[in-house]
Amino acid sequence: MKLCDILKSNFSSEEWEQKGYQLPKFDIKAVREKTAKEPTWVHFGGGNIFRAFPAAILNDALNTGKYDRGVIVAETFDFEVVDKAYAPYDNLSLLVSLQSDGNIEKKVIASVTEALKADPQFSDWQRLVDIFRNPSLQMISFTITEKGYSFNEVDLARGLKPVFALGKVTALLYERWQAGQLPLTVQSMDNCSHNGDKVKTGVFAYAERWAKDGLVPQAFVDYLKDETKITFPWSMIDKITPRPHQKVKELLAADGFEDNDYIETEKHTFTAPFVNAEEVQYLVIEDHYTNGRPPLDLGGALYTTRETVDKVETMKVTTCLNPLHTAMSIYGCMLGYTLISAEMADEDLRPFIQKIGYMEAMPVVVDPGVLNPYEFVDAVLNKRLPNPFMPDAPQRIAMDTSQKLPIRFGETIKKYVARGLDMKMLQLIPLVLAGYARYLKGIDDNGSAFEPSPDPMLAELQAIVAPLEVGKKNQDYSCLKQLYSRKDIFGLDLYEAGLGEKIEGMVSELFAGNGAVRQTLHKYVQAR
């Protein structure tokens, strides 16, 4: 069983279907022909998240029979991905959805019609120019990670031959302007706050510099800033797509599926002909398009207002997912865990995050309307975090914790203050913040040293807690005032919010000696 067999004239689906593989219900060749002539969507970034999510929901939309155009993927960074993960498999891939009950769903994704290298050094560039000059193009989108939106003075000074992704995109938008100021929507699908603004900032930087240098007319800049022509909507995307999993590879091999080799490029991109991902997914998009759009709602995407996208993101990062991740990472590291899924079987950690989500954060959440906060948390607790296929580690999630605390917990505390709510309602969120001081010490619950995860503020914050010793009686905890009064770390002064002294008391319990982390966690979880 090989992906390339699917496009052969004598292909038989019987064996695939008997083994539980879902095959495309649409005419793949017809969709490719239609897309080649009248493309509607180009996506920049051909990695695993693209194939597992945006390409997959378009595949579902095509399966309805209500749409007839695929997506053209353009790789901006690692061109080996095109040569090794797309071309050998006729641009087909296999999506393996990893479910929390241990089962898997196997679906062939055939919505990608072309895979191109987005750089002028390749002949594919002219194809991209032709696509951008085609009036049928409606949307370009991105999953290039937040780092992919970067630019610097050196690249800006390269003129119309930039190296960075957004510079190349701006050059292609210039082609679209020259073709008649054609409308287009520039849509980020990366997991970062107000992602559309990040794309817009980069594109404007290149265009304005080129206009200043006399390389393009000011009219091109005006075109980019005209929202009847070009828009940069926000979106919220949420789906975990880890590297290809050994267990998945073994399951596919047992089926007789032969395209299960690992691929590692020279730039250390890890991929495969198959993509494994969690079953739960969310894509909420601001509906602000100038030339129509692919009907991704047929595959489960939600189109709504910018305000609602912002509410959904706020719900996720301050209540329903990200704070729970951080709580598990801090305490998981101190309790010796290396897998988030294993933490979910812990008799103290599971109710710890459950009560944070339902009892302490939920009272101040703003319901976005399109996604129910309680259902979102329920999926996190019962499907996402316990998933045995998700090899996520608390050590990874604990990276850059100092940068995450102001949003993940500070915003909730601010809402308590603003609404005049009783701070006595907060017990476990303060326990998370108290645990951070013990975590910074780098001593686990057995008294052994561990290395806290990388963080730009790590050395500075460790210096604050340096006077504290695990197991020392009657020690002075006044140094904590330097930590918990810092608005840059927690989003507000926790003493002014009425929580500083409470947190200090919890820290003293956590530093009492070996086993104190477990004992203190159990005490407060049971009391709550």
Side-chain angles (χ1 to χ4, degrees):
M1 298 168 59
K2 298 176 70 68
L3 289 168
C4 288
D5 294 340
I6 292 172
L7 291 177
K8 293 180 179 178
S9 58
N10 61 347
F11 172 69
S12 173
S13 63
E14 183 177 355
E15 182 181 9
W16 292 72
E17 292 173 346
Q18 285 179 349
K19 294 183 177 179
Y21 288 75
Q22 299 177 33
L23 297 170
K25 298 177 182 178
F26 54 92
D27 186 329
I28 300 172
K29 292 182 180 179
V31 166
R32 291 186 173 188
E33 290 174 1
K34 184 74 170 177
T35 306
K37 295 177 182 177
E38 298 178 345
T40 55
W41 179 16
V42 173
H43 183 88
F44 290 88
N48 293 332
I49 182 63
F50 163 68
R51 292 188 293 161
F53 200 178
I57 60 176
L58 178 62
N59 198 82
D60 289 345
L62 290 167
N63 279 337
T64 67
K66 298 178 180 179
Y67 193 56
D68 59 1
R69 244 72 62 90
V71 58
I72 298 165
V73 65
E75 177 57 39
T76 62
F77 171 70
D78 193 339
F79 306 118
E80 276 188 90
V81 169
V82 173
D83 294 330
K84 295 183 176 180
Y86 283 89
Y89 308 102
D90 286 338
N91 298 325
L92 302 173
S93 62
L94 181 71
L95 171 59
V96 182
S97 294
L98 310 172
Q99 301 176 349
S100 55
D101 60 6
N103 292 319
I104 63 173
E105 178 186 84
K106 299 164 289 191
K107 181 186 297 184
V108 174
I109 304 302
S111 57
V112 178
T113 61
E114 295 178 68
L116 305 173
K117 299 175 184 178
D119 193 278
Q121 67 178 301
F122 301 108
S123 59
D124 290 350
W125 184 257
Q126 185 56 50
R127 171 61 179 151
L128 279 169
V129 169
D130 293 341
I131 291 169
F132 269 73
R133 284 177 164 268
N134 195 320
S136 66
L137 186 63
Q138 298 175 330
M139 174 176 79
I140 61 171
S141 59
F142 306 84
T143 51
I144 56 176
T145 76
E146 188 168 2
K147 292 180 181 178
Y149 299 121
S150 63
F151 57 92
N152 59 30
E153 178 62 28
V154 174
D155 208 49
L156 291 172
R158 290 192 176 101
L160 296 177
K161 296 182 179 180
V163 173
F164 290 1
L166 291 189
K168 297 174 185 178
V169 168
T170 308
L172 290 167
L173 288 170
Y174 183 49
E175 295 286 348
R176 192 160 182 81
W177 177 81
Q178 290 179 306
Q181 302 181 35
L182 301 172
L184 187 70
T185 288
V186 182
Q187 177 71 69
S188 173
M189 294 181 180
D190 271 300
N191 184 21
C192 50
S193 178
H194 302 169
N195 49 21
D197 288 348
K198 296 184 183 301
V199 185
K200 180 168 66 174
T201 297
V203 168
F204 285 4
Y206 281 97
E208 289 171 348
R209 175 60 180 268
W210 296 347
K212 179 182 177 182
D213 292 346
L215 301 174
V216 301
Q218 179 62 36
F220 172 55
V221 179
D222 297 339
Y223 158 76
L224 293 175
K225 294 184 176 182
D226 181 353
E227 291 197 0
T228 68
K229 297 289 188 179
I230 304 294
T231 55
F232 300 85
W234 294 358
S235 71
M236 190 288 289
I237 188 169
D238 187 16
K239 186 179 182 73
I240 298 174
T241 308
R243 293 178 180 179
H245 199 294
Q246 177 63 30
K247 187 182 294 185
V248 175
K249 178 178 179 177
E250 293 169 358
L251 289 169
L252 297 177
D255 282 343
F257 182 79
E258 299 177 48
D259 293 331
N260 56 17
D261 292 331
Y262 292 138
I263 299 168
E264 180 180 357
T265 68
E266 290 186 4
K267 291 185 175 180
H268 303 296
T269 297
F270 296 88
T271 186
F274 67 89
V275 183
N276 44 236
E278 67 170 337
E279 61 185 305
V280 180
Q281 60 186 30
Y282 305 94
L283 180 57
V284 184
I285 304 173
E286 177 190 352
D287 196 358
H288 190 23
Y289 289 76
T290 58
N291 196 34
R293 55 171 167 76
L296 297 185
D297 49 332
L298 293 176
L302 299 174
Y303 288 103
T304 183
T305 64
R306 171 170 290 201
E307 181 184 14
T308 301
V309 172
D310 195 38
K311 288 180 180 178
V312 170
E313 181 181 40
T314 300
M315 177 191 75
K316 183 187 83 164
V317 302
T318 67
T319 305
C320 296
L321 175 60
N322 296 28
L324 311 187
H325 255 159
T326 292
M328 296 188 78
S329 69
I330 291 172
Y331 278 86
C333 289
M334 294 191 292
L335 293 173
Y337 281 101
T338 58
L339 284 174
I340 290 293
S341 58
E343 287 190 64
M344 287 303 290
D346 188 287
E347 63 180 4
D348 293 317
L349 288 173
R350 183 182 177 90
F352 180 41
I353 65 164
Q354 187 172 1
K355 290 178 179 180
I356 289 173
Y358 284 126
M359 299 176 67
E360 298 198 1
M362 197 66 75
V364 294
V365 74
V366 176
D367 188 339
V370 294
L371 290 176
N372 183 287
Y374 287 93
E375 292 177 359
F376 194 103
V377 170
D378 183 70
V380 168
L381 293 171
N382 297 309
K383 292 183 177 181
R384 307 184 72 178
L385 298 182
N387 195 323
F389 285 111
M390 292 291 109
D392 217 346
Q395 290 76 17
R396 185 194 71 81
I397 296 171
M399 292 176 62
D400 303 328
T401 294
S402 69
Q403 313 298 294
K404 299 170 180 176
L405 293 173
I407 300 297
R408 298 187 178 190
F409 296 101
E411 290 303 310
T412 291
I413 297 171
K414 286 179 183 178
K415 290 175 182 175
Y416 268 76
V417 173
R419 299 182 187 185
L421 299 176
D422 188 351
M423 285 296 169
K424 292 180 181 179
M425 296 171 62
L426 294 177
Q427 297 293 329
L428 300 184
I429 287 178
L431 186 62
V432 175
L433 305 182
Y436 188 50
R438 173 67 194 259
Y439 168 86
L440 288 169
K441 194 66 183 175
I443 303 294
D444 70 18
D445 204 27
N446 294 320
S448 301
F450 71 90
E451 185 175 349
S453 300
D455 188 308
M457 302 293 291
L458 183 60
E460 180 181 342
L461 299 181
Q462 283 185 311
I464 294 175
V465 300
L468 302 179
E469 298 179 31
V470 175
K472 182 180 179 180
K473 296 183 179 180
N474 301 318
Q475 60 184 316
D476 183 4
Y477 288 93
S478 61
C479 63
L480 294 176
K481 186 85 172 181
Q482 300 175 54
L483 178 63
Y484 292 113
S485 61
R486 291 191 55 164
K487 297 180 181 180
D488 59 329
I489 303 299
F490 300 100
L492 72 171
D493 183 326
L494 292 166
Y495 292 90
E496 292 177 357
L499 293 174
E501 288 77 10
K502 175 188 287 188
I503 293 172
E504 280 189 19
M506 291 175 169
V507 173
S508 68
E509 294 181 66
L510 291 166
F511 271 82
N514 293 349
V517 174
R518 170 67 69 179
Q519 183 178 353
T520 306
L521 176 65
H522 182 78
K523 168 189 169 181
Y524 283 99
V525 168
Q526 292 302 311
R528 192 67 175 92

